[in-house]
Amino acid sequence: MKIQKYILLFVFALSVQILPRQTDTGNTNEQNNKIKVYFINGYGAIYQLNNSHNTFYRIHVDIQADINDSNISKINYARARRDKNISVMLAPEFGCYLINKEYFKFYIGGGPMFSYGYQYLNNEFSDSWQVETSGSYYYMHKTTKNSYSVGIIGFIGIESRIYDNFSIFAEIDTRAVRTWSKGQISNIESFRSALFGSALYNSSGDIDGKEWNFNLSTVRLGFSFLL
């Protein structure tokens, strides 16, 4: 996170340094389409079409992926965790430049958004012992969930030109979404002991939920280039 803040400060400092040299954009290249790609605090691509000198349309695709797979194994002891959280968002957006200079731009915008999310969690734990009496313990929790969301996204960002057709940008957005979720949850817990006998607990259930969410993203950093 500190590195990302330093990069953002660098963008501001670079913009301030070149600001006295800036004039209103007169370059005809500014009317071209633009591709923006970010790779810090998320992965995504934006296809942008300038509607006028100070307004634009864009298609925003955002991908969030968090995949963990860990295993700990010792004598008589084991723990395994598999966790997948994947979401894909599509948003047609409209924006406008509050500052539109040749080497620095400050813009805001928003639009509707649609997203799909998939979550898978499998957490297992087992232990056995041979102290005074023998015994074992096992636990497993599993969740599978699919989510569908519809909402509104608003964004704000800055962009600084480095070369004629190449820029870097920083952007943040806020979202208000309605989410529908469906899935399954299952739990298994077993205990066996030579002294106390054995016990087994098994439960499962369905996920069927609706909720409102309001999210504020972290600062995304990336680059853009004119086509």
Side-chain angles (χ1 to χ4, degrees), residues 3 8-9 46 79 100 124 143 150 161 166 219:
I3 294 176
L8 182 59
L9 289 175
I46 299 168
R79 179 185 293 275
N100 189 7
E124 294 185 70
T143 299
V150 177
R161 175 176 291 184
F166 183 82
V219 176

Side-chain angles (χ1 to χ4, degrees), residues 199-214:
L200 174 66
Y201 303 93
N202 192 345
S203 64
S204 62
D206 294 328
I207 299 174
D208 188 1
K210 303 175 183 179
E211 61 180 346
W212 282 98
N213 290 303
F214 299 90

Side-chain angles (χ1 to χ4, degrees), residues 36 46-48 56-60 91-93 107 155 171:
K36 308 179 78 170
I46 299 168
Y47 176 76
Q48 181 173 313
F56 56 86
Y57 298 102
R58 68 185 206 174
I59 297 295
H60 182 183
E93 301 168 337
Y107 56 90
F155 60 87
E171 194 171 298

Side-chain angles (χ1 to χ4, degrees), residues 41-192:
N41 288 331
Y43 302 93
I46 299 168
Y47 176 76
Q48 181 173 313
L49 173 63
N50 287 347
N51 182 50
S52 68
H53 178 66
N54 289 318
T55 61
F56 56 86
Y57 298 102
R58 68 185 206 174
I59 297 295
H60 182 183
V61 178
D62 181 273
I63 300 174
Q64 301 289 330
D66 185 8
I67 301 175
N68 295 301
D69 192 347
S70 62
N71 290 276
I72 299 176
S73 181
K74 300 180 181 179
I75 299 176
N76 302 326
Y77 173 91
R79 179 185 293 275
R81 181 182 178 91
R82 297 174 180 85
D83 195 354
K84 297 180 181 179
N85 283 282
I86 301 172
S87 66
V88 180
M89 182 205 74
L90 175 65
E93 301 168 337
F94 175 80
C96 63
Y97 292 107
L98 300 181
I99 300 176
N100 189 7
K101 304 296 182 179
E102 186 177 358
Y103 291 96
F104 177 77
K105 302 178 186 297
F106 174 64
Y107 56 90
I108 62 173
M113 58 153 287
F114 312 90
S115 69
Y116 166 75
Y118 172 76
Q119 179 185 17
Y120 173 81
L121 171 64
N122 191 345
N123 192 8
E124 294 185 70
F125 170 79
S126 63
D127 190 14
S128 61
W129 57 90
Q130 298 287 337
V131 180
E132 296 183 356
T133 60
S134 61
S136 64
Y137 174 80
Y138 174 77
Y139 170 81
M140 188 274 289
H141 171 81
K142 182 178 180 181
T143 299
T144 304
K145 184 171 69 174
N146 294 278
S147 301
Y148 306 87
S149 300
V150 177
I152 298 174
I153 182 171
F155 60 87
I156 183 171
I158 60 172
E159 186 172 353
S160 181
R161 175 176 291 184
I162 303 301
Y163 301 107
D164 288 343
N165 296 319
F166 183 82
S167 303
I168 58 175
F169 73 94
E171 194 171 298
I172 191 170
D173 67 52
T174 182
R175 308 175 186 182
V177 298
R178 177 70 165 175
T179 302
W180 294 264
S181 300
K182 289 186 176 295
Q184 293 183 328
I185 298 176
S186 60
N187 293 282
I188 298 175
E189 189 173 10
S190 65
F191 174 81
R192 293 182 177 86

